[in-house]
Amino acid sequence: MAINFNKAEFILSATVPAQFVHDGLPQAAFAGRSNVGKSSVINRVVNRKNFARVGASPGKTTQINYFKIDGRLYLVDLPGYGYAKVSKAERDRWGRLMENYFQSAGLIDLGVLIVDARHKPTADDVTMREWFRGSGCPMVVVANKLDKLKRSEIEPNLALIRETLNLGPDDVLVPFSAEKGEGKDALITALAGHLKR
Ligand code: GDP
């Protein structure tokens, strides 16, 4: 039966490894630079307006939010990175949490990396891609904010993203607009295809 992505519930925010969820359901981990539109992409996937902000209080950049979809899989919202106004203490906390998360064996079934379709991926995006690669999970890269590109810019920008992130032929790159909804079906197909149990 098709997964109903409209049936989404917030489960918990993890700030320490003891709170990481290991209950056997498949997990797709969403990562991206702050402001890239990660919350907007999740909201678009589940068809709701302020959903991905549930449980996230402002300024709390160091928590991992778990959303359960149709009782069948988790969307795991990893804390954004690259936010300029974050203290060193908070950056360190972020680094420890992510290290623990990526070192916890078998947590991630699919990595979803959100990048900005307008720009070359940042050094942090490349690092995140390597962390996912190191965990051995397949990857989907979402090139968000597609609506901000001119038609003629789309192909060259997607090629630059593929090249910078060193994507192989089997890695999926989904051109996406959280604002307009473009790419939603392709992303849902990629999620459902990788996460069937
Ligand atoms: P997050 O910090 O990665 O969770 O980013 P948000 O989802 O909060 O989005 C950051 C900003 O980018 C907001 O002002 C969004 O409205 C805007 N945004 C997100 N996705 C898109 C998109 O596809 N197109 C456009 N034009 N703006 C977007």
Side-chain angles (χ1 to χ4, degrees):
M1 215 175 43
I3 298 167
N4 182 0
F5 281 84
N6 295 341
K7 256 181 91 184
E9 53 180 326
F10 170 73
I11 302 295
L12 60 86
S13 293
T15 52
V16 293
Q19 296 167 324
F20 294 167
V21 174
H22 304 252
D23 64 1
L25 286 183
Q27 303 193 9
F30 281 62
R33 194 167 53 71
S34 337
N35 230 27
V36 72
K38 180 159 55 64
S39 312
S40 305
V41 170
I42 293 174
N43 288 339
R44 175 58 77 174
V45 165
V46 302
N47 251 333
R48 300 237 206 120
K49 282 212 177 336
N50 289 306
F51 181 72
R53 300 228 180 267
V54 179
S57 40
K60 278 229 165 161
T61 59
T62 46
Q63 58 190 21
I64 295 177
N65 295 316
Y66 287 84
F67 305 110
K68 197 185 268 189
I69 305 296
D70 203 12
R72 293 166 71 182
L73 60 91
Y74 289 102
L75 300 189
V76 184
D77 185 12
L78 300 177
Y81 48 85
Y83 188 56
K85 287 183 199 133
V86 161
S87 68
K88 172 152 191 330
E90 184 142 13
R91 260 204 310 276
D92 289 349
R93 220 169 24 246
W94 180 90
R96 278 197 302 277
L97 185 67
M98 295 299 263
E99 247 171 59
N100 283 322
Y101 183 74
F102 278 92
Q103 282 168 4
S104 301
L107 274 187
I108 313 173
D109 298 278
L110 177 69
V112 181
L113 178 63
I114 323 277
V115 298
D116 191 321
R118 293 170 297 175
H119 308 300
K120 182 176 166 153
T122 66
D124 288 338
D125 293 332
V126 174
T127 301
M128 193 56 63
R129 191 271 186 282
E130 292 307 322
W131 282 7
F132 278 125
R133 197 202 297 272
S135 80
C137 65
M139 287 240 36
V140 174
V141 177
V142 173
N144 189 38
K145 307 200 182 183
L146 194 73
D147 56 283
K148 295 205 175 194
L149 291 185
K150 292 194 200 108
R151 191 176 277 279
S152 63
E153 294 172 323
I154 295 176
E155 278 314 316
N157 283 31
L158 293 177
L160 182 64
I161 290 167
R162 273 201 169 276
E163 186 191 317
T164 310
L165 294 176
N166 196 11
L167 299 186
D170 295 336
D171 295 314
V172 179
L173 176 60
V174 180
F176 199 95
S177 167
E179 181 112 342
K180 306 272 184 223
E182 204 168 342
K184 178 185 163 183
D185 291 346
L187 178 55
I188 282 184
T189 301
L191 289 169
H194 281 290
L195 297 172
K196 260 197 248 128
R197 280 267 163 92

